[in-house]
Amino acid sequence: MKGKALAASLLLILCVAAAAQQPAEVIKYELFYTPNAELATLQQVNAKIEEVALENNPLGIEGWMKAKLEHRAGAVNEETKTFALTLELEEIAQEFNGQPIGGAQQSRISVELTPLGQIKNPRQVSDTDTPAAALAAGVPVQMLALLCHVVTFPDHPVAVGERWVNDGAVDVGQDAPVTLRIATELLQVTQADEQAEERGQQATLLSDMDLLLADFKAPNPMGYGDPVTVQNGRLTITDLTREFDMQNGVVVDAEGKAGFSGQMVMAGFPLNLRVTMSFSMKPQPAQDNAPVVVGGAGEDEAQAGGG
């Protein structure tokens, strides 16, 4: 009897050891947009210029930007397999070198997205909303908002820790093509805050981006004089962390760092320009800190705003 009991114990130990050696099941997630046409998400965009350097010499110039942002998305068009994403920026305020930057206090960008985040047919309301205006004071207002909200997803399920890369080009305005490379990693998937029951699981994404920009006009970094032409512009986004609401298909929180480099033409001479900044997109404070359900007449306006 003792021999049988010992054999049984050894067999049990071997079974437990074998089970422990089995690799844990890897959970993979399908990431894509599931737009909710009945939601309007209210957010605040902020950016701060950390340094402006000309020919590698810091100019001691600072700047900041802030704006209120409203995000809306339309239903997926079954024919085109895309949906309209609209970003309304209001109360845009910028300061550069201690001086307010004039310009429109409102801006609207509308793009058609595929469920995997590919941009189709971008539209802007007015000529003042081109990247030349968006990059005033070195802070790309509209572009930062767009980059925060547009996530390019892989065409296959991914596990936590997996990374994917997307290359492409997009025209974000009149004669303003942008060539881009985006690398993204899925850091984690968690349940949303209990106070925001209308949200489902949230995917935390970490991205780096490299964008080559068309030439544009920008304020003179010396703080006076006519606008200057910036050539060979390159925008790099690093450590861009985004919280993506998987249920409603919207980025609810984002923050990252940006660096801009290019050649600024002054008096016919190209000078190397470098700008570094930090930025964030957070829920609007107080009662505006959660997605808003749009109903009745507001729902019609949301659908119209979604393009």
Side-chain angles (χ1 to χ4, degrees):
M1 291 293 294
K2 291 183 178 180
K4 290 183 179 180
L6 180 60
S9 298
L10 290 175
L11 181 59
L12 178 60
I13 293 173
L14 289 175
C15 290
V16 171
Q21 292 178 358
Q22 293 294 323
E25 181 182 357
V26 176
I27 301 176
K28 293 199 173 187
Y29 301 89
E30 291 190 69
L31 300 175
F32 52 87
Y33 282 98
T34 53
N36 187 337
E38 296 183 348
L39 291 183
T41 305
L42 307 177
Q43 296 164 318
Q44 177 87 23
V45 179
N46 293 280
K48 179 183 178 182
I49 295 179
E50 308 290 349
E51 183 182 68
V52 179
L54 198 59
E55 291 293 319
N56 291 323
N57 295 311
L59 301 181
I61 293 175
E62 297 181 346
W64 55 262
M65 181 281 302
K66 63 180 180 179
K68 289 186 176 181
L69 172 67
E70 180 178 285
H71 164 282
R72 297 182 189 238
V76 175
N77 185 311
E78 293 301 327
E79 182 177 342
T80 63
K81 305 301 181 183
T82 62
F83 67 95
L85 181 148
T86 300
L87 303 176
E88 300 272 1
L89 287 157
E90 296 183 346
E91 300 182 27
I92 300 173
Q94 299 184 79
E95 186 177 287
F96 184 59
N97 199 22
Q99 297 296 322
I101 299 296
Q105 294 184 348
Q106 296 180 330
S107 180
R108 178 177 183 267
I109 300 177
S110 181
V111 298
E112 291 288 329
L113 284 183
T114 68
L116 293 181
Q118 300 297 321
I119 295 180
K120 307 289 184 181
N121 305 321
R123 300 184 301 279
Q124 295 180 314
V125 167
S126 67
D127 293 341
T128 60
D129 290 338
T130 62
L135 283 159
V139 180
V141 184
Q142 295 88 343
M143 190 175 293
L144 282 180
L146 194 63
L147 292 177
C148 284
H149 267 292
V150 176
V151 183
T152 52
F153 295 114
D155 59 2
H156 57 275
V158 292
V160 170
E162 283 196 54
R163 185 172 181 268
W164 61 93
V165 178
N166 298 90
D167 293 289
V170 62
D171 186 354
V172 296
Q174 296 92 341
D175 301 319
V178 173
T179 302
L180 67 161
R181 180 181 181 86
I182 305 173
T184 304
E185 178 183 350
L186 176 61
L187 292 184
Q188 64 178 3
V189 176
T190 59
Q191 192 67 29
D193 192 317
E194 293 180 358
Q195 296 179 351
E197 296 179 355
E198 67 275 10
R199 297 176 185 168
Q201 286 183 310
Q202 287 191 187
T204 303
L205 306 165
L206 178 65
S207 298
D208 291 326
M209 304 181 185
D210 190 9
L211 300 89
L212 302 180
L213 308 177
D215 297 349
F216 63 92
K217 294 283 188 181
N220 194 313
M222 305 307 294
Y224 57 86
D226 295 331
V228 297
T229 298
V230 179
Q231 302 173 338
N232 304 315
R234 185 170 196 163
L235 183 66
T236 56
I237 307 293
T238 57
D239 300 326
L240 174 56
T241 304
R242 292 177 285 187
E243 298 291 338
F244 180 74
D245 179 352
M246 297 170 66
Q247 175 176 310
N248 295 305
V250 59
V251 175
V252 295
D253 192 297
E255 62 181 11
K257 301 175 182 178
F260 176 82
S261 62
Q263 293 180 320
M264 182 181 65
V265 180
M266 296 184 67
F269 295 96
L271 301 174
N272 293 320
L273 173 69
R274 185 181 74 251
V275 180
T276 57
M277 71 185 84
S278 57
F279 63 92
S280 66
M281 183 184 73
K282 303 292 183 180
Q284 285 188 25
Q287 71 272 17
D288 295 335
N289 64 353
V292 176
V293 177
V294 181
E299 182 174 355
D300 296 335
E301 293 174 3
Q303 293 171 349

